[in-house]
Amino acid sequence: QGGSGSKNVQHGATVALESVKAKYVINCAGSYSDQIARMIGDDSFYIKPRLGDYILLNRNQGHLAHSTIFPCPDPVLGKGVLVQQTLWGNLILGPTARDMHNKETRDMSNESIQEYILSKCKQLCPYFDAKEAIHGFCGARSKSSRGDWIIEPSSKDANFIHVAGIDSPGLAGSPAISLYVVELMQKAGLKMPPNINFNPNRAPIITPKVGLRGLKMGPPGKNDSD
């Protein structure tokens, strides 16, 4: 299924089923982590997906924001709708915070979502041109019923480690999360002999697109790397 929602929303199809047996399991299934927990009879939490929609503008708009522009945070919905420049020099607007258990926000039309994002971002950066929008996309945050990250062994089986409800800032916290999960796995009895062939250094994964001499673009007609 994968993606940012159910296979029905993504127009996907189940092409095969298989059973997997393991002595240790790390439950990091995102919005489906509560369903995975139910497979061993653990109903200690459930996931409340919160969708975040974005609008991506052309690179000729990127020069309008040299840093991330935040509104005052909402006490319930988080940091709010932001304006920021991407690594490639585009201007990106968003995200929203649409709770799937709230019918009003769940059933918003694409037009309403776009109007909401643009109106919020115009308050932060009034000069961007919405006609330069080139893409829109959406992802799902896996908010948990506990209101916090769940990183712990299941009460049903100590070899079943939950890493669930990891919403923002989960990306920033992922290195520390991984170290803690390793510690939990060791406490559960998993042997982890050092890999003497492990190379901690990795090559960059970002490469310029063909035809671009630099990554970021300035105002129209101006390339940062000229």
Side-chain angles (χ1 to χ4, degrees), residues 1-225:
Q1 297 175 352
S4 58
S6 73
K7 65 179 180 181
N8 296 328
V9 173
Q10 301 299 324
H11 306 292
T14 301
V15 296
L17 296 173
E18 62 178 334
S19 297
V20 177
K21 293 183 178 181
K23 186 174 181 179
Y24 300 94
V25 173
I26 299 176
N27 176 20
C28 52
S31 295
Y32 290 88
S33 55
D34 54 350
Q35 297 184 34
I36 300 298
R38 301 296 182 276
M39 295 173 71
I40 64 167
D42 187 337
D43 59 358
S44 60
F45 67 93
Y46 61 90
I47 296 298
K48 305 184 295 180
R50 174 176 289 176
L51 298 186
D53 306 272
Y54 287 90
I55 296 176
L56 185 67
L57 305 186
N58 243 319
R59 285 195 300 269
N60 60 17
Q61 302 295 297
H63 68 283
L64 295 172
H66 297 289
S67 58
T68 302
I69 306 175
F70 288 84
C72 293
D74 185 277
V76 176
L77 299 179
K79 60 183 177 293
V81 184
L82 319 179
V83 175
Q84 53 193 317
Q85 188 186 75
T86 71
L87 179 65
W88 295 96
N90 301 75
L91 198 68
I92 190 169
L93 315 175
T96 58
R98 296 192 295 124
D99 288 320
M100 290 296 91
H101 59 272
N102 184 326
K103 187 178 186 300
E104 182 179 351
T105 57
R106 182 188 65 222
D107 296 338
M108 288 177 68
S109 66
N110 290 337
E111 292 76 13
S112 297
I113 294 169
Q114 293 168 9
E115 291 173 1
Y116 178 81
I117 295 174
L118 293 174
S119 65
K120 291 290 186 180
C121 290
K122 280 291 185 181
Q123 298 175 24
L124 302 175
C125 181
Y127 306 111
F128 67 80
D129 185 357
K131 294 179 181 178
E132 292 292 336
I134 60 174
H135 192 41
F137 48 92
C138 177
R141 311 169 180 87
S142 57
K143 304 286 292 186
S144 81
S145 57
R146 297 190 194 176
D148 203 353
W149 297 354
I150 302 170
I151 312 172
E152 64 187 23
S154 169
S155 60
K156 300 296 183 179
D157 192 321
N159 290 0
F160 192 100
I161 309 298
H162 292 308
V163 187
I166 310 296
D167 54 357
S168 181
L171 179 61
S174 57
I177 292 173
S178 64
L179 292 175
Y180 184 53
V181 171
V182 167
E183 182 181 323
L184 292 177
M185 296 296 288
Q186 289 174 325
K187 289 181 179 179
L190 179 62
K191 304 300 181 183
M192 298 183 181
N195 181 359
I196 60 174
N197 297 317
F198 175 69
N199 181 2
N201 302 312
R202 61 181 297 177
I205 60 175
I206 299 173
T207 56
K209 293 181 179 179
V210 175
L212 289 181
R213 286 169 289 175
L215 292 177
K216 293 189 176 182
M217 305 290 287
K222 175 64 177 177
N223 188 307
D224 288 353
S225 63

